[in-house]
Amino acid sequence: FRSWGWILLAGVLNLVTVALDSLRWHAIVSGVRVVPRRHTLQAMLLGWVGSALLPLKAGEASKAWALAARARLPMATAFTTVLLDRVVEATTFVLLTAIASTMVPLPAAAAVARDVGLLVLFGASGAVWLWHRAINAAVHRLRQRADLVGRVVEGLAVLRHQHRLAAAGGYAVVCWGLRAVVMWCAIRAFDLPVPPWAAVTAVVAVNLGVSAVAMPGNVGVFEVAFAAGLAVWHVPLALGV
């Protein structure tokens, strides 16, 4: 162990990522209704507490419930914004994973799968951009319905506001970058002999791990996944944990 200063910096930056996470979600929610930023931040924090205490990502439901209560939105609408926020985050995570894959040697089959996946992602994004008017019209028609379908589609209203959707994507990219910096601070705290981009592979490994195994607070899963991400750089598993 080298320095508590790096750990303190990691903690501060982690809090900044929470604030940016809430701003990303707020950009999506604002497509439905203008709400104070503190409402999305409070709901986000409640969701984090729920995820820390409950298994199977139950914190996501508590986020939606808190937003619905504070912003006076239908529960179905609030939950749709939560899901759409996750889609935006996952899309940018795919890009982060692609970047990380260029930093380590991959088997030929894995490299081909990465390239195909990126082509599909960019193709789908291009199709949404080209057909956004048709998508907007469909969303607008469905929003007029007074039943559950209308309330669910109401949560997709940000699709009709490209600037808000672009802002959400921008916040997501910055958040992933800050998470990599947080990982790098932890690596520096233990003075591990790895290059800076090892932090990117660690972020990818951790998020794949916690997504595959949903434990309360990600206890144990986070540590093992972090160590697995560093193992690529020949860091012993015991030291990584």
Side-chain angles (χ1 to χ4, degrees):
F1 186 76
R2 180 180 180 182
S3 170
W4 281 105
W6 286 106
I7 298 297
L8 178 61
L9 179 59
V12 172
L13 291 177
N14 203 41
L15 292 176
V16 174
T17 62
V18 174
L20 289 174
D21 279 335
S22 72
L23 288 175
R24 182 189 65 238
W25 187 25
H26 182 268
I28 292 172
V29 174
S30 63
V32 180
R33 181 179 301 171
V34 176
V35 300
R37 289 184 176 88
R38 69 177 183 276
H39 287 176
T40 50
L41 177 59
Q42 291 166 349
M44 180 75 70
L45 293 174
L46 181 61
W48 275 50
V49 172
S51 295
L53 299 177
L54 303 171
L56 303 176
K57 306 294 183 181
E60 300 301 305
S62 60
K63 277 171 54 177
W65 173 83
L67 179 67
R70 291 185 176 277
R72 297 182 179 179
L73 288 172
M75 182 64 181
T77 302
F79 195 72
T80 302
T81 66
V82 171
L83 292 180
L84 185 56
D85 178 56
R86 286 305 186 188
V87 169
V88 171
E89 187 178 38
T91 301
T92 51
F93 177 72
V94 171
L95 294 177
L96 178 70
T97 304
I99 293 172
S101 70
T102 64
M103 299 175 181
V104 295
L106 288 177
V112 170
R114 175 199 63 201
D115 295 340
V116 171
L118 285 175
L119 286 175
V120 171
L121 176 63
F122 287 128
S125 300
V128 170
W129 181 261
L130 290 173
W131 299 333
H132 71 277
R133 289 188 178 180
I135 294 172
N136 289 345
V139 170
H140 180 71
R141 286 195 300 271
L142 289 172
R143 286 175 67 190
Q144 308 308 310
R145 297 179 57 163
D147 57 5
L148 179 61
V149 173
R151 291 192 292 272
V152 168
V153 175
E154 179 74 14
L156 302 176
V158 72
L159 297 178
R160 303 178 64 235
H161 304 276
Q162 280 76 25
H163 65 287
R164 289 194 175 103
L165 192 58
Y171 283 128
V173 170
V174 174
C175 281
W176 287 121
L178 277 179
R179 290 185 182 108
V181 175
V182 169
M183 292 296 185
W184 177 241
C185 290
I187 290 170
R188 294 302 301 154
F190 287 88
D191 200 21
L192 299 178
V194 295
W197 45 88
V200 178
T201 59
V203 170
V204 171
V206 166
N207 282 274
L208 288 176
V210 299
S211 298
V213 183
M215 294 290 291
N218 299 318
V219 175
V221 179
F222 180 97
E223 290 77 11
V224 172
F226 180 73
L230 294 181
V232 176
W233 305 98
H234 310 294
V235 175
L237 188 61
L239 178 59
V241 172

